[in-house]
Amino acid sequence: IPTLSAQMESQRINETRKQLDEIQQALVGYAIANGRLPCPADPAIATGQAGAGAERTPPCTGGNSTGVLPWATLGVTETDAWGNRYTYRVTDYFADSIATTFGSGCTPSPTPTQATFALCSAGTLDVRSAASGGTSIATNVPAVIISHGKNGAGAYTQQGTQLPVGSDADEQGNRDGSANLNYVSHTPTPSFDDEIVWLSNSILLNRMVTAGKLP
């Protein structure tokens, strides 16, 4: 018979996965309404302070493309089931203002007027089964969202502070990803308990076409 603590932990995992699914849908809805994905929120602003949970002002290039999920902008929950904020990384030109830059090698004709990305745009983020080596799970994704699990390694708290990461290389790779474009997703281990989802490039573009935002 499962112990009470094991049952509670299973409930937290399921609740977090449900929230991640809702966040994916909220991001797609935001893109349809605004023609772009939101920028991340500043992770250092504590809950209740001005600007907490609000997306940074576009363009969110460089270090501003990584932060925490802009929960207030999206109208979703701030934290996962363990009380930590979700890490959020977005490809910069998917979250820019309407412009003429659509990514490397992408020169659409006609130029989209209701979206900051085009049918030929591709995300720059990759999800792999391990930080070193491993296999490719998803490539060229526009955005990733991460719950840092029960141990919270690398997550930002509601006080705006970042929890330390241990020696697990895969959790280190998911800490914020600002140093590279690779993220890790695999079954839990004693040292890895991150839950990660991403936006599929093809699904996002398809939804934008269906909504009349592209081409």
Side-chain angles (χ1 to χ4, degrees), residues 42-53 71 78 85 157-161:
D42 187 336
I45 300 178
T47 302
Q49 292 186 353
W71 70 88
E78 175 183 358
R85 292 172 173 173
T157 68
Q158 292 178 286
Q159 290 72 45
T161 57

Side-chain angles (χ1 to χ4, degrees), residues 136-204:
S136 178
I137 298 174
T139 61
N140 301 324
V141 300
V144 296
I145 311 99
I146 304 168
S147 161
H148 295 273
K150 179 181 179 180
N151 67 23
Y156 277 89
T157 68
Q158 292 178 286
Q159 290 72 45
T161 57
Q162 190 173 29
L163 298 174
V165 180
S167 59
D168 188 284
D170 294 340
E171 291 212 332
Q172 290 175 355
N174 283 347
R175 179 180 181 183
D176 57 28
S178 60
N180 59 68
L181 302 173
N182 299 322
Y183 291 83
V184 180
S185 177
H186 61 69
T187 55
T189 68
S191 60
F192 179 91
D193 63 358
D194 291 358
E195 295 283 342
I196 176 172
V197 297
W198 51 91
L199 291 186
S200 162
N201 198 67
S202 58
I203 291 176
L204 176 60

